[in-house]
Amino acid sequence: MLHVKDPIGANLDRPLAGEDFRAAERFLYTEARLLDAENYTGWIALVDEDIRYWMPGMETRRRDDKRGPYAYGEMAYFDDTYAELKVRVARYNEPSAWADNPATRHAHIITNIEAYETNDPTLVAVFSCFTNVRNRNEKDQDVIHGRREDVLRRHGAGFRLALRRIFTVHNVLLSKNLNTFL
Amino acid sequence: MCKAGRPDMKPAYPQAGSYPQFADLVDTERSQVDRKVFHDEAIYQAELRQIFGRAWLFLAHESQIPGAGDFVRTKMGEDDVIVVRQRDGKIGAFLNSCPHRGNRVCMVDAGKKARGFICNYHGWSFGIDGRLVGTDGKVYDTDPDFEKHAITLTPVAQVASYKGLVFGTFDPNAPSLADWFGPFTWYLDVMLDNDPEGTEFIGGCIRSEIECNWKFPAENFVGDILHAYWTHQSGAQAILGGGVDLGPQYDERAFQASIYGHGIETNLDKTGNTKTLGYPELVDYVFSQYDKAKDRLGETRARMVGAISSCTVFPNFSFLPGQATFRVWQPKGPNKIELYTWTLVNKSMPEHIKELYRRGTMMTFSPGGVFEMDDGENWEYCTKANEGWVTRHQPLHYALGISSKIDAPDLPGHIHRGSLNDANQRYFYTRWAEFMRFDNWSDLMTAETAPPAKAAPGVAAE
């Protein structure tokens, strides 16, 4: 059973190659394009129903602090199952979601993609970095930088998102809200 | 400096002054507030002196720092503060600034079992009691004039707890924390004392920035349930499958209470807030605990435990009963705040119930939460609009429910009928004006916002 508190099980000596790698890469870009277009219904169609989606709060801690910068079970921005992601999608689709009306302009910039096999042939482990830019109204701009660790499940010729760990570089979120998925 | 005498390193606690010209910007006769209080830099500096330099401010929950040397770093106004458990079990708080050149001595958010705090600049090291215990190298040890014993991190003048919540004030002359709350503790106990084992924070703290004046969110939580209907339609629709129902029946069992500017608006609907966290199991749990809470708190307050309700402890500590989100709106200039949020649960709750509160606050009142997401922009543009020279001269309307005050002998404080009402917000700004006007505590504690004399409504069982 996958759990966001565990490492994603990438076999670093077995990188995905050729078309298999390009398919994993294409999955991340497709997902980013759907989110840029605020197509949340389209996005959640790429998500497996046993998804775990976690973005912990990042604390500043001493190097010798055993807890480290985050700990599972503590305060987080997201620690969602499919049911919870669906609630968030439902809000985006409401006409009275004022923080998204007028529309927010999004750019989900995805880079540093690496994909590896796991010990389960149906699952692949993917690392990536992101810069998320949101701009709305005249010049309200919010930028979030971070890294992601994903598990994708093979699905036909493509993939579904089965697990995502999101680690931002930010201690204080430099934004009034987080009206997107990362 | 050339004369090179010995320094006087006694901690300094700045005195308050009096700003009647700012106090007059709150017009209680007309239920209006002048927008200057939301953007003016001189007023903001006066707030740091008059309010954040004197008020009891929320620091931490005792559960965050259970053992000696456990600490969290936070803010009091714009002052950086370390809150640390002492070896005798008491809690101390100190300015996070080395008395040598002023550098921070603690860079991290929290930690366990610290032996002390060392400045990275010249290696001055301080014990968890704030005293200077050592310096790097031998220079100071061989200087016969160096008075190590006289040097300490500046202690927060007073630190005290109320049922697990730790507060501090920079004013040595401030009244006790109990006097600061007065009978408002009767309402705080709804969350803090509905169970004999008390409360704790779930680990960690989510922080975010909002470009708004700190008073907008504080006044929102002190008494503005009205906004929920309009602002939070989308979140309610997503979680409950329907809008926020604040129809005529809503207000029948609702009221607002204010004491010294602290305020709570509440219904008596038992689980209205808890429902919005989206987990039926949590609602069942709150119902299952009702009889126990009733034995402890009486019927009225037992009905408030999960009810639609919001609260601000003056000036900037707020929470939502039933939804379990606790937060501080830290001021960062007149146009910006840093929001600190935590989740409070009863220690005795089963782990899976605590977990649902953690997830529920994340889903609702967190930067990505379906309710909080729509609050920030409102407060930002309430603040930004005042960039306009003419705009900033226009009055703001705080007059909903000006004839709704009732005696309510069984409820402590100034009570207004119904919670769709600006009453608590008027008291909040009246308290703000009292802090601007008065330079002494005897005036502050006997002013208009002080609670009217009433028979004791009954206290929580011990």
Side-chain angles (χ1 to χ4, degrees):
Chain A
M1 180 72 183
L2 295 172
H3 197 294
V4 284
K5 69 176 192 278
D6 303 321
I8 56 173
N11 288 322
L12 296 179
D13 55 346
R14 286 158 54 196
L16 263 55
E19 176 52 28
D20 208 18
F21 173 76
R22 280 191 290 280
E25 188 183 50
R26 194 159 55 239
F27 178 87
L28 298 191
Y29 291 150
T30 300
E31 198 194 348
R33 176 169 50 79
L34 292 169
L35 290 172
D36 285 351
E38 300 180 297
N39 184 350
Y40 299 106
T41 306
W43 176 75
I44 205 165
L46 300 179
V47 169
D48 233 9
E49 294 203 5
D50 67 352
I51 179 81
R52 293 301 301 270
Y53 183 94
W54 181 46
M55 175 170 155
M58 303 296 281
E59 289 198 355
T60 304
R61 293 274 183 155
R62 287 181 60 88
R63 283 188 187 277
D64 58 6
D65 189 323
K66 289 191 187 70
R67 176 202 184 261
Y70 53 83
Y72 187 76
E74 299 203 345
M75 297 289 277
Y77 295 90
F78 300 103
D79 187 3
D80 286 11
T81 64
Y82 191 72
E84 284 141 347
L85 289 176
K86 273 204 311 191
V87 170
R88 297 183 198 272
V89 168
R91 177 199 159 277
Y92 286 122
N93 290 336
E94 284 295 321
S96 63
W98 307 123
D100 294 281
N101 189 4
T104 302
R105 295 171 287 270
H106 298 265
H108 290 74
I109 300 163
I110 309 299
T111 65
N112 302 41
I113 300 169
E114 297 176 83
Y116 298 95
E117 292 180 24
T118 70
N119 290 338
D120 181 336
T122 67
L123 303 175
V124 301
V126 183
F127 299 97
S128 60
C129 290
F130 66 86
T131 291
N132 176 261
V133 183
R134 289 171 295 152
N135 188 299
R136 51 183 285 104
N137 301 330
E138 293 154 288
K139 54 180 182 180
D140 296 354
Q141 181 148 303
D142 299 301
V143 179
I144 304 176
H145 302 281
R147 294 181 296 107
R148 303 186 303 188
E149 300 177 3
D150 298 336
V151 176
L152 306 185
R153 180 169 284 122
R154 293 185 186 279
H155 181 90
F159 295 99
R160 289 282 182 271
L161 183 65
L163 178 143
R164 173 161 285 165
R165 288 150 55 96
I166 304 163
F167 304 105
T168 74
V169 302
H170 307 284
N171 175 240
V172 178
L173 183 76
L174 303 175
S175 311
K176 61 180 166 288
N177 69 16
L178 188 47
N179 62 334
T180 189
F181 295 110
L182 298 171
Chain B
M1 284 293 260
C2 298
K3 288 188 179 170
R6 285 171 192 258
D8 175 3
M9 296 304 289
K10 277 199 303 293
Y13 300 104
Q15 299 284 305
S18 178
Y19 300 83
Q21 73 279 26
F22 296 159
D24 290 341
L25 298 172
V26 176
D27 184 345
T28 51
E29 297 291 312
R30 293 184 180 81
S31 306
Q32 288 176 195
V33 175
D34 192 305
R35 296 182 190 227
K36 204 169 178 180
V37 309
F38 299 115
H39 68 84
D40 185 272
E41 179 65 33
I43 291 177
Y44 176 71
Q45 291 301 325
E47 288 176 332
L48 293 182
R49 181 184 186 189
Q50 299 291 101
I51 298 175
F52 295 97
R54 288 195 287 180
W56 283 93
L57 302 170
F58 178 74
L59 299 179
H61 193 292
E62 287 177 2
S63 62
Q64 293 176 284
I65 46 173
D70 296 351
F71 68 94
V72 293
R73 194 170 61 77
T74 189
K75 297 281 184 187
M76 294 173 65
E78 294 214 48
D79 291 294
D80 211 79
V81 169
I82 306 166
V83 186
V84 54
R85 180 78 69 168
Q86 302 297 299
R87 284 181 233 293
D88 64 2
K90 293 190 178 126
I91 291 171
F94 305 92
L95 283 185
N96 184 15
S97 177
C98 182
H100 183 216
R101 291 293 179 272
N103 189 24
R104 273 187 184 175
V105 298
C106 175
M107 296 292 183
V108 300
D109 296 331
K112 291 272 186 202
K113 295 182 183 168
R115 289 196 298 269
F117 304 96
I118 303 176
C119 178
N120 290 339
Y121 197 177
H122 302 87
W124 285 30
S125 69
F126 300 86
I128 58 173
D129 61 357
R131 289 172 187 276
L132 182 64
V133 292
T135 54
D136 184 44
K138 302 244 182 270
V139 179
Y140 287 106
D141 293 344
T142 56
D143 183 337
D145 296 318
F146 183 59
E147 296 173 319
K148 189 165 94 177
H149 65 276
I151 297 172
T152 175
L153 296 175
T154 300
V156 172
Q158 300 187 58
V159 176
S161 294
Y162 183 75
K163 297 189 179 178
L165 302 185
V166 186
F167 292 78
T169 169
F170 285 121
D171 188 347
N173 299 315
S176 70
L177 183 61
D179 287 346
W180 163 256
F181 287 132
F184 199 68
T185 53
W186 193 78
Y187 300 105
L188 296 179
D189 288 347
V190 170
M191 283 302 283
L192 301 179
D193 202 5
N194 64 53
D195 182 272
E197 289 179 45
T199 63
E200 65 188 16
F201 273 177
I202 283 168
C205 172
I206 292 290
R207 291 182 287 160
S208 56
E209 275 188 347
I210 306 178
E211 290 182 14
C212 71
N213 185 276
W214 65 272
K215 295 188 288 301
F216 281 121
E219 67 150 68
N220 177 282
F221 276 61
V222 87
D224 188 344
I225 186 59
L226 180 67
H227 84 293
Y229 170 72
W230 192 261
T231 297
H232 297 309
Q233 277 182 55
S234 60
Q237 196 73 40
I239 288 216
L240 303 170
V244 180
D245 179 14
L246 300 179
Q249 285 182 324
Y250 173 83
D251 243 10
E252 277 174 19
R253 301 201 73 176
F255 65 91
Q256 297 205 350
S258 180
I259 292 168
Y260 295 129
H262 318 310
I264 185 167
E265 59 78 19
T266 185
N267 205 312
L268 297 177
D269 60 24
K270 292 186 180 173
T271 56
N273 266 2
T274 306
K275 273 181 194 148
T276 66
L277 297 183
Y279 300 109
E281 191 183 352
L282 216 42
V283 177
D284 292 344
Y285 177 80
V286 173
F287 273 122
S288 76
Q289 300 299 301
Y290 176 76
D291 286 341
K292 194 174 71 177
K294 189 176 162 189
D295 287 346
R296 210 167 165 77
L297 300 170
E299 185 187 349
T300 301
R301 289 188 296 169
R303 297 181 73 95
M304 290 161 63
V305 170
I308 294 182
S309 177
S310 64
C311 179
T312 290
V313 172
F314 190 88
N316 65 335
F317 175 55
S318 300
F319 63 91
L320 296 174
Q323 281 149 336
T325 178
F326 279 62
R327 59 239 338 266
V328 176
W329 323 98
Q330 306 283 18
K332 298 274 171 189
N335 304 319
K336 196 183 222 182
I337 63 164
E338 203 169 290
L339 166 56
Y340 288 36
T341 72
W342 304 269
T343 301
L344 177 130
V345 291
N346 282 340
K347 281 182 189 161
S348 70
M349 285 172 180
E351 284 306 314
H352 72 282
I353 294 295
K354 291 180 184 175
E355 176 66 2
L356 290 180
Y357 275 109
R358 183 181 75 93
R359 290 169 172 276
T361 52
M362 206 161 28
M363 173 58 74
T364 54
F365 287 93
S366 165
V370 296
F371 292 112
E372 184 163 307
M373 219 185 279
D374 291 304
D375 278 321
E377 188 162 279
N378 291 338
W379 300 332
E380 287 195 347
Y381 280 90
C382 289
T383 304
K384 281 180 192 175
N386 301 313
E387 288 167 5
W389 170 252
V390 176
T391 304
R392 73 173 68 152
H393 285 83
Q394 308 309 309
L396 291 177
H397 182 281
Y398 282 83
L400 186 61
I402 52 176
S403 306
S404 62
K405 192 164 184 179
I406 53 175
D407 281 342
D410 295 336
L411 298 170
H414 302 280
I415 307 301
H416 287 72
R417 186 184 63 241
S419 58
L420 302 173
N421 204 317
D422 291 338
N424 277 2
Q425 294 163 77
R426 288 191 291 273
Y427 274 94
F428 177 85
Y429 286 108
T430 302
R431 187 57 167 164
W432 181 91
E434 290 167 357
F435 266 85
M436 286 293 149
R437 191 179 305 281
F438 299 126
D439 64 1
N440 68 86
W441 282 98
S442 67
D443 282 338
L444 275 172
M445 298 310 281
T446 53
E448 190 184 351
T449 59
K454 291 184 186 183
V459 293
E462 287 304 319

